[in-house]
Amino acid sequence: KQEVTQIPAALSVPEGENLVLNCSFTDSAIYNLQWFRQDPGKGLTSLLLIQSSQREQTSGRLNASLDKSSGRSTLYIAASQPGDSATYLCAVRTNAGKSTFGDGTTLTVKP
Amino acid sequence: DAGVIQSPRHEVTEMGQEVTLRCKPISGHDYLFWYRQTMMRGLELLIYFNNNVPIDDSGMPEDRFSAKMPNASFSTLKIQPSEPRDSAVYFCASTNSGSSIQFFGPGTRLTVL
């Protein structure tokens, strides 16, 4: 059974800092890994998708990496802004289509 | 495209009542997922469909929960009878085999009194 862990559970940083969120998974036989953002009381917004054959994906200030062999992914946020405050979730998907989510990291960026 | 559409957005009901949640996936998507999110358990996959066929319902908590997808543009998640512990936000998501990016609906916040 796939298990997904996100560390830390919460993170608070001053505006402008670069930061890294971590996601680890137990079964490396994945199809892809997706990072989401969730604002309080809202749905999930897709940020980045990394296919199992890829090592990283970038979108603006966000960079996600994937190391299947070690069962790890990181989400790097450069020059953080207060608007980045949200909960960030990673989801690992199997070849059969099933996704398992981590519990998320709640990020607070202080102005 | 309007994205994934869910209705109702909020539902408050009394214990024992039947609850039906609805989802319209993004047109052209062949996968549909139902999730439940609570503070205690996080985001849990309940069931997912591929081409309208249920593929994995191992996340459905018990027989009180059922889901159907009669066609490519509509799915329902039904709870009968509902219980207070079913209170949660229920999300529907869809994707297609090509992009694999899951798009989520806004969720239905269910409160069972």
Side-chain angles (χ1 to χ4, degrees):
Chain A
K1 178 185 173 185
Q2 178 74 272
E3 293 183 4
V4 180
T5 304
Q6 291 187 245
I7 295 174
L11 181 64
S12 180
V13 301
E15 183 177 4
E17 267 202 16
N18 303 324
L19 60 102
V20 175
L21 307 181
N22 297 291
C23 173
S24 60
F25 46 95
T26 54
D27 187 349
S28 61
I30 68 170
Y31 183 67
N32 62 41
L33 183 145
Q34 195 166 356
W35 282 93
F36 293 87
R37 169 188 173 134
Q38 185 175 30
D39 293 285
K42 304 290 186 181
L44 280 71
T45 300
S46 178
L47 297 174
L48 289 165
L49 174 76
I50 310 178
Q51 302 293 353
S52 62
S53 59
Q54 297 175 324
R55 297 281 295 182
E56 66 176 346
Q57 283 287 326
T58 298
S59 176
R61 294 183 294 107
L62 305 180
N63 175 276
S65 69
L66 175 64
D67 184 343
K68 270 201 324 179
S69 60
S70 65
R72 292 181 181 178
S73 176
T74 62
L75 179 65
Y76 175 82
I77 303 177
S80 58
Q81 303 170 358
D84 295 331
S85 298
T87 296
Y88 292 81
L89 299 110
C90 71
V92 175
R93 187 175 175 189
T94 66
N95 290 332
K98 182 173 181 176
S99 286
T100 304
F101 280 76
D103 288 337
T105 294
T106 298
L107 172 66
T108 303
V109 181
K110 299 178 181 178
Chain B
D1 199 313
V4 177
I5 299 173
Q6 290 187 248
S7 64
R9 294 293 307 276
H10 301 274
E11 174 95 18
V12 180
T13 190
E14 292 187 345
M15 185 173 73
Q17 296 297 309
E18 177 180 296
V19 174
T20 299
L21 311 181
R22 298 173 177 79
C23 175
K24 183 182 188 311
I26 292 174
S27 177
H29 283 188
D30 56 353
Y31 280 89
L32 184 140
F33 306 82
W34 280 103
Y35 293 92
R36 176 173 69 176
Q37 187 176 39
T38 62
M39 287 291 292
M40 292 294 292
R41 303 168 79 89
L43 198 63
E44 304 172 280
L45 176 66
L46 300 177
I47 184 172
Y48 74 97
F49 297 82
N50 178 219
N51 292 320
N52 313 337
V53 177
I55 303 300
D56 187 340
D57 65 354
S58 59
M60 297 285 262
E62 46 197 279
D63 292 345
R64 297 184 297 107
F65 285 70
S66 63
K68 294 181 180 179
M69 192 165 186
N71 57 61
S73 59
F74 183 67
S75 176
T76 59
L77 177 68
K78 186 175 292 186
I79 309 173
Q80 167 63 19
S82 58
E83 297 182 3
R85 60 192 168 121
D86 302 330
S87 298
V89 180
Y90 291 80
F91 288 105
C92 176
S94 71
T95 187
N96 63 43
S97 306
S99 78
S100 300
I101 297 176
Q102 285 193 52
F103 293 88
F104 276 70
T108 294
R109 183 173 295 277
L110 173 65
T111 302
V112 183
L113 303 174

